[in-house]
Amino acid sequence: MTKQEWRNKTTITKFILLGFGNGPELDSLLFLMILSIYIVTITENIFIIVLMVANRHLHTPMYFFLGNLACLEICYSSNILPRVLLSYLCRDRSISVSGCFTQYYFFGGLAAAECYLLTAMSYDRYLAVCKPLHYPSHMSGKLCLQLGATSWIGGFLANSILTFLISNLDFCGPNEIPHFFCDSFPMVKLSCSDTRVVGLVISVVAGVCSLPPFLLTLSSYLYIIVTVMRIPSATGRKKAFSTCSPHLLVVILFYWSILTVYVLPHRDTQGSPNKVFSVFYTILTPLVNPLIYSLRNKEVREALQKQ
């Protein structure tokens, strides 16, 4: 198609987020359900941040990373769920093209940052469990700041590439996105440009941001499990496994859904399965992470009792 023909096409100014594809009779129920999840997610993450800042006994590397994770989950949920709630409340599922790109930029940046942050957290636990004598010298305050900053900055830098590529595509209709938020592949599918290169770059960048962190995180937990198995006390092994197993389960669930949607061979259709996987890392993970990583910890429970 010539440049003149592209100019003659009508450029769309807004997208329509189709959401979960439910009927009007379910809108009220979904609104209340999502609102409840959002309120609980924000409340528990804010609570964790306040507790960790206020209690000096929690000023350790592990809780520094947990505080970063709680802050990230607040941003993550607030980037997606309020827009979903507004669409149910106002019966308006439209979003401007620039607003859609902005939502995707923050979503992708935060998702990539969480991958890196989970890796930093697993490395911290690896040093604490497998090399306890070297832990204080290895996991210094400076290294914690460097790992935290690298996670945030690296995540947003990586997604800046994808946002730039997608925002430079031509969108001339249709404008209905079969998703509940602005995501890369559903948006790319609506473009009237040649998207083969962009689709490949999305998969490659997503793979770089998720697969190596996943393998490093998994390796850390495997080393931890091996170390725990060497504990002579059965009670000690049971206690260690009760702490590590929920962490590993949440990590696997998060990465499994991310890798399934973005890294595995991309299909032409973006239907319900991808939306279901997306629920895991956009809604469920921010909800359960505070419970798994923080509120089950002995130190946090003791800090709560002292308040």
Side-chain angles (χ1 to χ4, degrees):
M1 186 176 289
T2 65
K3 291 183 178 180
Q4 185 61 41
E5 287 174 312
W6 278 119
R7 293 192 190 101
N8 291 337
K9 281 186 170 291
T10 301
T11 302
I12 62 174
T13 58
K14 61 177 61 177
F15 291 114
I16 306 297
L17 292 169
L18 298 182
F20 294 97
N22 52 283
E25 65 278 359
L26 293 178
D27 283 359
S28 298
L29 178 61
L30 280 172
F31 174 81
L32 292 174
M33 185 183 301
I34 294 173
L35 178 62
S36 300
I37 291 174
Y38 180 60
I39 291 174
V40 172
T41 299
I42 297 300
T43 301
E44 61 188 8
N45 280 290
I46 289 178
F47 176 75
I48 286 169
I49 293 173
V50 171
L51 182 65
M52 291 179 181
V53 170
N55 194 301
R56 61 184 181 84
H57 296 293
L58 300 180
H59 293 177
T60 62
M62 181 177 76
Y63 293 104
F64 169 79
F65 291 125
L66 289 176
N68 271 266
L69 182 64
C71 182
L72 188 148
E73 302 294 20
I74 291 172
C75 299
Y76 204 50
S77 297
S78 298
N79 181 49
I80 294 175
L81 296 189
R83 184 65 192 77
V84 176
L85 291 170
L86 189 63
S87 69
Y88 285 121
L89 191 63
C90 302
R91 309 284 181 178
D92 181 12
R93 302 193 177 188
S94 64
I95 182 172
S96 67
V97 172
S98 59
C100 204
F101 292 150
T102 301
Q103 186 187 61
Y104 171 69
Y105 170 71
F106 283 101
F107 156 72
L110 291 166
E114 182 160 358
C115 291
Y116 297 140
L117 191 58
L118 289 174
T119 305
M121 291 169 62
S122 68
Y123 176 66
D124 171 74
R125 290 300 82 204
Y126 160 75
L127 288 179
V129 175
C130 302
K131 299 183 181 295
L133 298 179
H134 301 284
Y135 179 73
S137 59
H138 279 56
M139 191 53 68
S140 62
K142 181 179 179 181
L143 180 60
C144 289
L145 290 173
Q146 290 174 339
L147 290 174
T150 301
S151 298
W152 286 88
I153 296 172
F156 279 97
L157 282 179
N159 200 53
S160 296
I161 300 171
L162 301 185
T163 306
F164 174 78
L165 292 175
I166 295 173
S167 63
N168 278 278
L169 294 174
D170 293 295
F171 295 91
C172 37
N175 67 338
E176 293 183 341
I177 299 178
H179 217 316
F180 59 92
F181 69 97
C182 296
D183 202 0
S184 54
F185 282 132
M187 283 195 294
V188 168
K189 187 185 174 185
L190 296 180
S191 173
C192 40
S193 305
D194 184 351
T195 60
R196 287 173 295 183
V197 174
V198 176
L200 179 61
V201 173
I202 291 173
S203 294
V204 170
V205 173
V208 170
C209 291
S210 58
L211 193 55
F214 171 64
L215 294 176
L216 289 172
T217 302
L218 188 62
S219 299
S220 297
Y221 278 108
L222 288 177
Y223 275 111
I224 290 172
I225 291 173
V226 171
T227 302
V228 168
M229 290 297 294
R230 294 173 179 168
I231 297 177
S233 168
T235 304
R237 289 197 301 270
K238 183 178 179 181
K239 181 180 178 182
F241 273 121
S242 67
T243 301
C244 294
S245 55
H247 294 188
L248 187 58
L249 180 62
V250 171
V251 165
I252 290 175
L253 183 64
F254 174 76
Y255 280 111
W256 168 64
S257 54
I258 289 280
L259 292 170
T260 299
V261 173
Y262 299 103
V263 181
L264 294 183
H266 177 55
R267 296 181 177 87
D268 291 333
T269 57
Q270 292 294 321
S272 298
N274 274 1
K275 280 190 284 189
V276 172
F277 288 127
S278 298
V279 168
F280 285 126
Y281 57 81
T282 58
I283 298 178
L284 294 183
T285 299
L287 178 66
V288 302
N289 271 347
L291 302 174
I292 298 298
Y293 284 107
S294 301
L295 298 180
R296 294 178 72 256
N297 288 353
K298 180 181 177 182
E299 293 89 347
V300 173
R301 293 198 298 270
E302 290 177 349
L304 285 173
Q305 293 172 359
K306 294 177 182 178
Q307 295 300 314

